[in-house]
Amino acid sequence: MSETPPPTARPGPAFADLHLHTLFSDGTFTPEELAGHGARFGLVAMALTDHDTVEGCARMDAACRKLGILSITGAELTAEQDGNEVHILGYFLDPENATLQASLKKFQAVRQNRIHEMVARINRLKIPLRAETVFAIANCHSPGRPHVGRALVQGGFCGSLDEAFDRFLKKNRPAYVPKFKISALEAIELVHQAGGLASMAHPGLNRSDEVIPALAAAGLDGIECFHSKHTAAMSDYYLDIAARHHLLVTGGSDCHGFSKGKPLVGGCKLPGVHYDRLMEHYKTRAASRAPDATAAQPS
Ligand code: AMP
Ligand code: FE
Ligand code: FE
Ligand code: ZN
């Protein structure tokens, strides 16, 4: 647990934001900037969930600790199940876990190769984008489509990131390259063997509801009912599904930086009651496991 206790004495309800990205993947904030924004929004806990990496989590922990915010080590894994894309959020991961490290390295290599393939497709359209430019913009081990989009904008080939996605990068567009994905069941197992809890990210965006019973039966721990792109009706719908499958409720903004001129962090918050249940579940499970499983305790 944090040496500095989380600011539970803060007046008003407690909120957490458990879905956040930094420049260690496709976000634009540093971990320190993200923690600073979280403190201004009065968050009691934050989870960094960069795509296929935990590299930013140590800095996030240190920044949060200084601000009295509880930090949870996380990652967002791209997976698929029965032809549906499913994103799995891993929480309380042990960043030193060897199997997790090896898997993340593999996912990152796939991402890097995919950049070359996307750039080759763009070059076939007579747009002289260079992979080196994309890698320089990404400046991380886990590059993705937003970095290709930013390179297209910076090179003057597109007017905006949205245009880059709409013209080139979205599914069924000429530069779209599918990514190797592990199954959601494998992603859940990967998270569990690294001491973590697994939650299905933004189900309202992926609309893969039919896979939820199988994932729940396979040990999925939670479902992200609260997300900045979920309507209130969607949140209610998934709260009901969570109750029916005995799943924990998670939530977060999915902040990648500024959105409409404001930092998105804190823009969608998990109510304290759900956050408390998540923490309780984690502690109970960690206590029932081998002593080394407690290594992933939040700082
Ligand atoms: P990737 O993991 O490389 O397939 O890229 C997926 C990421 O692209 C998501 O996590 C979002 O950050 C971003 N993204 C997806 N669709 C769009 C869009 N239409 N406009 C801007 N960013 C997007
Ligand atoms: Fe992203
Ligand atoms: Fe996602
Ligand atoms: Zn995300």
Side-chain angles (χ1 to χ4, degrees):
M1 297 294 293
S2 175
E3 286 155 18
T4 314
T8 45
R10 193 186 294 276
F15 288 107
D17 188 336
L18 304 183
H19 191 156
L20 299 161
H21 297 271
T22 64
L23 38 66
F24 281 89
S25 67
D26 58 3
T28 56
F29 292 144
T30 62
E32 293 77 18
E33 288 167 340
L34 196 56
H37 289 305
R40 280 188 282 284
F41 280 105
L43 298 174
V44 297
M46 301 174 80
L48 182 55
T49 55
D50 269 319
H51 298 283
D52 297 330
T53 182
V54 290
E55 289 162 291
C57 292
R59 273 174 58 181
M60 187 70 185
D61 281 352
C64 283
R65 193 171 292 184
K66 283 189 195 148
L67 297 165
I69 297 171
L70 192 137
S71 156
I72 295 171
T73 295
E76 181 175 15
L77 308 177
T78 309
E80 72 184 319
Q81 199 62 40
D82 306 331
N84 297 291
E85 183 157 319
V86 176
H87 293 188
I88 297 291
L89 294 160
Y91 293 121
F92 309 108
L93 298 168
D94 173 6
E96 304 302 325
N97 180 271
T99 306
L100 179 69
Q101 279 186 354
S103 297
L104 294 180
K105 217 169 174 186
K106 194 166 115 191
F107 303 154
Q108 290 164 17
V110 168
R111 283 179 168 277
Q112 290 162 21
N113 291 334
R114 181 172 171 248
I115 297 292
H116 286 290
E117 222 179 303
M118 284 194 276
V119 170
R121 288 184 189 213
I122 287 166
N123 292 161
R124 269 179 237 143
L125 302 168
K126 309 278 180 239
I127 295 174
L129 185 72
R130 290 165 54 86
E132 291 70 25
T133 309
V134 179
F135 287 120
I137 287 171
N139 193 28
C140 70
H141 295 124
S142 202
R145 282 183 288 163
H147 300 117
V148 179
R150 285 176 212 161
L152 285 167
V153 174
Q154 285 189 25
F157 305 115
C158 290
S160 69
L161 191 61
D162 276 347
E163 186 193 322
F165 268 86
D166 283 345
R167 280 176 59 200
F168 302 111
L169 302 171
K170 274 200 318 204
K171 202 169 178 179
N172 301 320
R173 292 293 188 265
Y176 176 75
V177 177
K179 183 167 63 206
F180 158 83
K181 303 177 193 80
I182 53 169
S183 76
L185 300 184
E186 288 172 307
I188 293 167
E189 171 54 27
L190 183 59
V191 166
H192 284 170
Q193 68 78 42
L197 298 181
S199 180
M200 185 182 188
H202 44 64
L205 304 191
N206 293 107
R207 304 302 325 201
S208 310
D209 297 357
E210 64 271 26
V211 306
I212 294 174
L215 301 192
L220 181 73
D221 301 283
I223 185 162
E224 191 176 52
C225 298
F226 297 97
H227 184 272
S228 48
K229 289 195 175 149
H230 281 185
T231 62
M234 268 184 203
S235 294
D236 287 345
Y237 173 78
Y238 288 108
L239 283 166
D240 185 54
I241 289 187
R244 277 195 277 128
H245 291 282
H246 308 289
L247 294 168
L248 295 162
V249 172
T250 70
S253 61
D254 207 352
C255 172
H256 284 75
F258 283 99
S259 171
K260 294 178 186 143
K262 286 195 296 197
L264 189 61
V265 49
C268 172
K269 295 174 280 202
L270 179 69
V273 57
H274 298 297
Y275 161 72
D276 289 344
R277 276 188 204 139
L278 178 75
M279 292 304 291
E280 221 157 273
H281 186 87
Y282 168 70
K283 283 179 197 155
T284 307
R285 220 199 43 181
S288 71
R289 284 180 151 210
D292 64 341
T294 56
Q297 280 197 1
S299 60

